[in-house]
Amino acid sequence: GATLTVGNFNGDSADDLVVGAPDDTVGGVEDSGSATYIPGSTNGLVLARSTMLELGQIEPGHVAGHFAAALAAGDVNGDGYDELAVGSPWYGWRPGRVDVLPGSLDGPTVAGVQTLTPDQLDEPALVPDFETYGLTLQLAQLDTQPGADLLVGMGLAYVKVDGSRVQSAGAVAQISNRGGVLDPSAHRLFYQGA
């Protein structure tokens, strides 16, 4: 497991584990990536009930991107089930994406998934196609609005500073929760020199 996160994705009294394998070969394609959900119980983790998640379940036919390079857990919509945020920073080679999977009685589900991409930010400081969006992730309540907000790390992003393009400068986008949904239009961007 290159990445790990713990959350209560199925709404019971025990935390669950998600293990990321971003270099996993899926469908014969190297570095596609996958994540394994292992539910918790009163007696610990139940491996027999584990399920695998991969990008091809969300976007059929597309398997590249180092899916699960980053993972985060938090209740975005306030229903008592934690959502699972999954980063694929090399999706499309380098722009990247983040998929937020709702929690359910069966754990994280692709039904109702919210996909976030760097172009949704409409951020002039970021150089298009060089964002590595989703390289790191954190879900946390960062304001007084209900529900978890999302921090998206772009550790290798190219950033425009004072008219110059700075390679691999890195940036972090804070995407705020509005009415139980992560809203890219309600974001702040942090980077050196901002």
Side-chain angles (χ1 to χ4, degrees), residues 89-144:
W90 300 103
Y91 174 85
W93 185 73
R94 190 162 178 171
R97 68 187 272 168
V98 175
D99 293 290
V100 183
L101 284 65
S104 73
L105 286 174
D106 297 317
T109 175
V110 299
V113 64
Q114 181 181 11
T115 299
L116 303 168
T117 57
D119 60 295
Q120 295 168 347
L121 301 178
D122 193 25
E123 183 57 64
L126 294 173
V127 177
D129 298 327
F130 289 91
E131 293 97 340
T132 59
Y133 193 75
L135 193 62
T136 56
L137 297 171
Q138 185 66 54
L139 280 164
Q141 189 164 344
L142 301 172
D143 55 29
T144 57

